[in-house]
Amino acid sequence: MTADITAETPTFRAAMARFPSGVTIVTTVDEQGRQRGFTASSFCSVSMDPQLVLVCLATSAECHESFERADTWLVHIAGMEHESIARRFATRGADKFAGDDFTPHPSGLPHLADAPVVLECRAHARYPGGDHTILVGEVVSVGLGEPAPVVYYDRTFTPAPSSDRN
């Protein structure tokens, strides 16, 4: 039952796939005005005062350099209807902003308007985390939508249980 994770990266990867998480699509605009983004399931709240969240970005990601320098970004918590967009944003070399899924946010950043949650973040800190960079953002605005968020478990997108938000 127990495996030596130092010898078996696939075993560690399989173990992490068994942890249910949400799915986020993170967007920014680089210094040349190009839209940049990635999909992440490594996301969580950090602090209520100030309001901080973190998201982890692979150092090998094509957009890594842009997020290393970005002052602001949007974290979109994805819904079930965003599975194809989330997969596209997780694919190296894909035209991530193909189609008309994104519109300009008041901040000027690419905005997935029908996302269940949109957090506008201002860069607060960045930390090295192995083969990832931990981006900590201070939340400056919150948008709440109607669809339920998606849960990612065992490499599968699953609808989150609905709740009565009254």
Side-chain angles (χ1 to χ4, degrees):
M1 178 97 182
T2 303
D4 179 3
I5 64 168
T6 59
E8 296 190 42
T9 299
T11 303
F12 179 68
R13 187 169 287 157
M16 294 300 95
R18 292 184 183 179
F19 180 73
S21 66
V23 176
T24 64
I25 299 167
V26 187
T27 61
T28 195
V29 175
D30 71 12
E31 294 156 333
Q32 289 77 41
R34 293 176 299 189
Q35 297 179 331
R36 308 294 281 174
F38 65 98
T39 297
S41 59
S42 296
F43 165 80
C44 68
S45 62
V46 174
S47 170
M48 291 301 289
D49 187 16
Q51 295 175 1
L52 302 175
V53 296
L54 72 75
V55 63
C56 298
L57 172 61
T59 56
S60 62
E62 294 170 314
C63 62
H64 183 268
E65 192 174 318
S66 298
F67 278 91
E68 276 281 295
R69 293 194 302 266
D71 293 327
T72 58
W73 56 81
L74 296 180
V75 177
H76 306 85
I77 296 177
M80 193 67 199
E81 64 278 12
H82 303 120
E83 178 178 356
S84 65
I85 300 168
R87 289 191 186 279
R88 184 171 71 228
F89 270 66
T91 303
R92 187 170 189 79
D95 182 0
K96 298 187 176 169
F97 293 94
D100 59 357
D101 301 307
F102 290 84
T103 59
H105 185 266
S107 65
L109 300 173
H111 179 223
L112 184 59
D114 62 344
V117 176
V118 179
L119 304 172
E120 180 184 358
C121 298
R122 177 176 43 236
H124 179 79
R126 293 173 178 87
Y127 302 102
D131 60 359
H132 280 65
T133 296
I134 302 164
L135 304 171
V136 180
E138 182 175 0
V139 177
V140 296
S141 73
V142 176
L144 299 176
E146 287 301 316
V150 68
V151 173
Y152 191 64
Y153 173 73
D154 205 16
R155 298 179 183 88
T156 302
F157 290 79
T158 305
S162 61
S163 65
D164 186 1
R165 294 186 182 112
N166 293 330

